[in-house]
Amino acid sequence: LRAPVVDVLPVGSLVADSVAYPGFNYYTAAVVPGAFYKISITGMNDDADLLVFGDDGTYTVLAQCSIDNTAYIGTTTPEDCVIRAPGGTLYFGVDGYYLAGSVGFFTIAVDPVATTSLTLSMPLLDALARWEARIYAVPAPVPDDYTISITGLSDDADLHVFGADPFLTAPATCLNTQIGTLPENCTFPSGGGTLYFVVDGLFSSTATVSYTALAAPAMP
């Protein structure tokens, strides 16, 4: 058997590509081990599917994404995976098995996910570029119930709260994926420490989505 053709994607670039029915595109990207990245496919004309294999260079075992939007079937909805790189190379692909037509077009990107420090009880007006994601770290040393929220959205962004897990390995404590500009929030108990959450702009329809992020002790 011939070895598959593997395309190497530069981190931080949006690349236009296509996949034929019922084919599979193989990709790699050179990354920093332990850093967070967002792999995304957008602008589809048909049902192409993103599959992420982490450090599995055989493209066999799917990796666990901290944020996993790769299960949309029969649509042209964009898909993404936020993942902590387990090694120096990420392996992923785009599957054309469920295309309705002969060729599916899309754009694909691997972007680093930045971390922003947030001060407890101080709202932060922030913004994401279209389809970007960002991690927030909030020192909250006192055991208490906390509420994390995003409000005043100019477009669609989604809140994913991971509590005190800096590696975003466990499933999100709260998963908020309201459609459009509806505010999103999550209240949960914490034993103290730094709290982590992610705002993902995968479903934004404008070049920039702005919002106010806030983490504070929950109101009694």
Side-chain angles (χ1 to χ4, degrees), residues 150-167:
I150 53 173
T151 58
L153 286 75
S154 65
D155 205 320
D156 193 357
D158 293 317
L159 174 66
H160 305 261
V161 176
F162 293 87
D165 178 10
F167 302 122

Side-chain angles (χ1 to χ4, degrees), residues 61-88:
V61 180
L62 290 173
Q64 177 181 322
C65 304
S66 299
I67 296 174
D68 190 345
N69 287 306
T70 61
Y72 292 101
I73 298 173
T75 71
T76 56
T77 302
E79 301 185 5
D80 73 351
C81 165
V82 174
I83 187 171
R84 183 171 180 255

Side-chain angles (χ1 to χ4, degrees), residues 20-112:
Y21 172 83
F24 189 91
N25 289 10
Y26 297 83
Y27 301 100
T28 66
V31 293
V32 177
F36 285 93
Y37 293 87
K38 173 175 174 170
I39 305 168
S40 61
I41 57 173
T42 56
M44 287 99 79
N45 74 319
D46 203 336
D47 186 17
D49 293 305
L50 175 66
L51 300 177
V52 178
F53 300 92
D55 61 352
D56 178 14
T58 69
Y59 297 86
T60 303
V61 180
L62 290 173
Q64 177 181 322
C65 304
S66 299
I67 296 174
D68 190 345
N69 287 306
T70 61
Y72 292 101
I73 298 173
T75 71
T76 56
T77 302
E79 301 185 5
D80 73 351
C81 165
V82 174
I83 187 171
R84 183 171 180 255
T89 303
L90 281 176
Y91 298 89
F92 50 101
V94 173
D95 188 5
Y97 185 81
Y98 294 102
L99 294 175
S102 59
V103 180
F105 296 92
F106 56 89
T107 53
I108 186 166
V110 181
D111 295 306

Side-chain angles (χ1 to χ4, degrees), residues 80-185:
D80 73 351
C81 165
V82 174
I83 187 171
R84 183 171 180 255
T89 303
L90 281 176
Y91 298 89
F92 50 101
V94 173
D95 188 5
Y97 185 81
Y98 294 102
L99 294 175
S102 59
V103 180
F105 296 92
F106 56 89
T107 53
I108 186 166
V110 181
D111 295 306
V113 180
T115 299
T116 294
S117 296
L118 201 64
T119 301
L120 192 67
S121 300
M122 290 188 63
L124 174 67
L125 179 60
D126 210 347
L128 295 175
R130 189 178 187 187
W131 306 317
E132 185 184 0
R134 185 167 302 146
I135 300 169
Y136 293 85
V138 188
V142 178
D144 202 346
D145 288 347
Y146 291 91
T147 298
I148 292 174
S149 63
I150 53 173
T151 58
L153 286 75
S154 65
D155 205 320
D156 193 357
D158 293 317
L159 174 66
H160 305 261
V161 176
F162 293 87
D165 178 10
F167 302 122
L168 315 186
T169 50
T173 301
C174 299
L175 174 63
N176 285 265
T177 54
Q178 298 283 354
I179 297 173
T181 59
L182 292 174
E184 303 189 4
N185 64 79

